[in-house]
């Protein structure tokens, strides 16, 4: 690796650290985080409660054409 290049491993580690910090700060301010858990989008509260918001639906790729530029 050349000087000044950023490795994929470094980017993944930095991203995970940043997301964890943001989630922690959000929980302090809001009292909960919105996350994916067990096929659901849920609110995860500081006291351990979990409130289901919406079940995650898996898109049928045959019905929905995905265009990637």
């Amino acid at each position: 690796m050349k000087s000044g290049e950023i490795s994929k491993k470094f980017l993944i580690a930095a991203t995970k650290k940043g997301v964890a910090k943001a989630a922690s700060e959000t929980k302090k301010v809001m009292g909960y985080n919105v996350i994916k858990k067990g096929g659901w989008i849920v609110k995860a509260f500081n006291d351990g409660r979990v409130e289901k918001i919406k079940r995650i639906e898996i898109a049928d790729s045959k019905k929905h054409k995905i265009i990637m530029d």
Side-chain angles (χ1 to χ4, degrees):
M1 183 167 69
K2 295 179 185 176
S3 177
E5 288 184 357
I6 300 175
S7 71
K8 180 179 176 181
K9 186 176 180 179
F10 174 82
L11 287 174
I12 291 170
T15 300
K16 285 182 181 181
K17 185 176 178 181
V19 169
K21 184 174 181 178
S24 175
E25 291 296 315
T26 300
K27 247 186 175 179
K28 286 179 191 174
V29 173
M30 303 279 297
Y32 66 88
N33 278 338
V34 176
I35 62 171
K36 176 183 90 68
K37 184 174 184 177
W40 285 83
I41 301 296
V42 302
K43 280 185 182 179
F45 292 90
N46 288 338
D47 63 6
R49 288 180 300 125
V50 175
E51 178 184 308
K52 291 180 179 176
I53 297 174
K54 183 171 175 120
R55 185 155 189 77
I56 297 172
E57 298 177 20
I58 299 172
D60 182 355
S61 62
K62 293 177 185 174
K63 290 182 181 178
H64 305 283
K65 185 177 181 182
I66 298 171
I67 300 170
M68 302 194 56
D69 293 329

